Amino acid sequence: MQEGPAPSPVGLVLDPEKIRGRVEEIGAEITRDYAGRSPLLVAVLKGSVVFLADLVRAIDLAVKVDFMAISSYGPGGRSGVVRILKDLSASIEGEDVILVEDIIDTGLTSTYLLATLRARQPKTLEVCTLLDKSVRRIIEVPIRYKGFDIPDEFVVGYGLDYQGRYRNIRSIIGVKDLDALAEDSEGIVAPYV
Ligand code: IMP
Ligand code: MG
């Protein structure tokens, strides 16, 4: 049998136009749902930052933003035990809070964050995630706004990282071979940057 070219270790999942269109739609939905109010968008550093930056500009309301940074413990950071590295800069009591996530995978991180935020007595609390890897869910998360459902594949780009890199890729790409990405990154992702 002839040997074909080696399969690419990465593949396009969402192009910038698709992402932009969906972010505009979510922004319009939030604008309708929160008419006359001033929701506080709470983003989780660092992965959600690119999404948040586009989302706030798609919302036609007097939105506010705040940030939290967390680290996850356990095997692969997947134990559901989360430590707050940077907390919100102000009280959220009585606020209409929207938790903005890049991706919900097992659901452990969001579940912890929702419990933490709920204890601070916001008026309302909803979840907005760009990506939903629902097939991997361990704990159900009440998602109010969702960008895209994606299959069980590791993705990078549009804020999402692998070992701290690739957040600046404009597309969201799926990685079939993480080792290849760790070794020869520039060449592999070049078509998508
Ligand atoms: P969960 O607690 O399993 O829902 O994990 C959520 C977090 O894991 C996200 O906020 C990301 O930081 C990270 N994560 C999960 N899947 C991916 C992925 O495919 N690419 C990059 N980061 C991911
Ligand atoms: Mg990450």
Side-chain angles (χ1 to χ4, degrees):
M1 224 171 70
Q2 283 290 114
E3 261 190 60
S8 174
V10 301
L12 183 68
V13 174
L14 294 163
D15 66 40
E17 273 308 296
K18 256 217 182 90
I19 299 169
R20 204 172 59 83
R22 188 70 192 112
V23 172
E24 289 293 331
E25 287 173 3
I26 295 172
E29 233 181 289
I30 291 175
T31 302
R32 277 197 304 275
D33 293 350
Y34 289 82
R37 293 189 277 166
S38 183
L40 170 67
L41 274 52
V42 168
V44 185
L45 295 170
K46 304 165 186 163
S48 307
V49 164
V50 176
F51 176 39
L52 178 82
D54 285 342
L55 182 62
V56 289
R57 285 174 287 181
I59 299 174
D60 194 12
L61 296 170
V63 292
K64 296 171 285 189
V65 299
D66 206 344
F67 298 93
M68 269 179 122
I70 56 168
S71 75
S72 308
Y73 287 120
R78 296 289 159 82
S79 66
V81 181
V82 172
R83 188 162 65 98
I84 295 175
L85 301 176
K86 182 226 171 289
D87 207 338
L88 298 173
S89 58
S91 163
I92 59 168
E93 195 179 335
E95 298 278 353
D96 289 308
V97 173
I98 304 175
L99 177 63
V100 177
E101 290 268 24
D102 50 356
I103 184 167
I104 299 180
D105 186 28
T106 63
L108 293 169
T109 308
S110 315
T111 298
Y112 175 89
L113 286 171
L114 282 173
T116 302
L117 295 173
R118 200 171 289 121
R120 301 178 185 187
Q121 300 176 332
K123 187 162 130 212
T124 60
L125 179 59
E126 301 289 351
V127 177
C128 173
T129 187
L130 178 68
L131 304 176
D132 182 5
K133 235 190 243 180
S134 56
V135 292
R136 285 184 38 92
R137 198 62 33 83
I138 290 173
I139 306 180
E140 211 41 60
V141 177
I143 301 173
R144 174 75 177 271
Y145 305 100
K146 180 204 292 201
F148 304 92
D149 231 303
I150 60 162
D152 183 9
E153 184 177 28
F154 195 84
V155 291
V156 297
Y158 198 71
L160 291 136
D161 74 303
Y162 176 59
Q163 298 183 344
R165 298 174 52 201
Y166 312 110
R167 298 190 196 276
N168 58 328
I169 296 174
R170 292 162 206 264
S171 301
I172 291 173
I173 60 179
V175 184
K176 292 167 184 70
D177 181 355
L178 283 171
D179 292 337
L181 199 62
E183 283 158 23
D184 167 26
S185 43
E186 304 314 326
I188 290 168
V189 304
Y192 306 97
V193 173

